[in-house]
Amino acid sequence: MTETGEEEDTTRVILTSDRFRVWIDDLSIGHVRVIKRINFGMIISAIRQIVSDQQKKSEKTRIIRIYIPRSLRSIHSENLQAFIQFAKDCGNISIEVIETEELQNTTH
C-alpha cells in the first residue's frame, strides 16, 4: 500500500520485445506472453530469467504461466511438454500453458 492507501503495483517487467513479454506479478508468478513466433530457446531463456529473479527475491513461489496464441501452440507442443515435465521434476517449477487468441498490440 502507498501512503494514500492505494495498492502499489509491484509487477516487475523482465524482458519485452515485439515477439514476447516477460514479467513477474505481485504474487511472484512469472508470465511469458508469446505474441509472434519465437525460437523455443527464447522461451527457455525467459523461464531461466524468471526463476533467477524469483530466487534473488527469495520467493518460494515457482509458478510460471506461458501464454501462447492458438496458431503457435502446435509449433512448440512436443518440446514444451518435455521441458514442463523436466522443470517440474528437477526444479520444482510449475509451468502452466494457456492458449490465447491472436494478439497484436498488447502490453502484457
Side-chain angles (χ1 to χ4, degrees):
M1 291 264 185
T2 63
E3 291 178 9
T4 60
E6 297 174 8
E7 288 199 34
E8 189 174 340
D9 182 10
T10 57
T11 299
R12 298 184 301 268
V13 175
I14 298 174
L15 293 170
T16 185
S17 81
D18 65 332
R19 298 191 171 274
F20 65 95
R21 309 270 187 277
V22 179
W23 72 97
I24 296 176
D25 67 20
D26 57 350
L27 298 175
S28 300
I29 298 173
H31 300 269
V32 178
R33 181 177 301 279
V34 177
I35 299 167
K36 297 179 184 176
R37 186 175 179 163
I38 62 172
N39 182 299
F40 182 69
M42 292 299 298
I43 294 174
I44 292 174
S45 178
I47 291 170
R48 182 181 300 133
Q49 289 193 339
I50 289 170
V51 171
S52 175
D53 192 77
Q54 288 172 333
Q55 288 173 336
K56 283 184 213 171
K57 306 287 184 199
S58 297
E59 295 164 0
K60 294 180 173 79
T61 302
R62 297 285 190 270
I63 299 171
I64 299 172
R65 294 185 176 135
I66 302 173
Y67 306 91
I68 297 180
R70 188 170 289 124
S71 64
L72 299 178
R73 177 74 189 257
S74 64
I75 295 170
H76 296 295
S77 187
E78 188 176 319
N79 287 338
L80 190 56
Q81 291 307 316
F83 179 74
I84 289 170
Q85 191 61 47
F86 171 79
K88 180 181 176 185
D89 294 345
C90 299
N92 198 25
I93 300 167
S94 175
I95 299 176
E96 303 168 9
V97 178
I98 301 165
E99 200 171 275
T100 64
E101 296 297 323
E102 297 298 320
L103 301 173
Q104 294 302 321
N105 296 317
T106 60
T107 56
H108 286 320

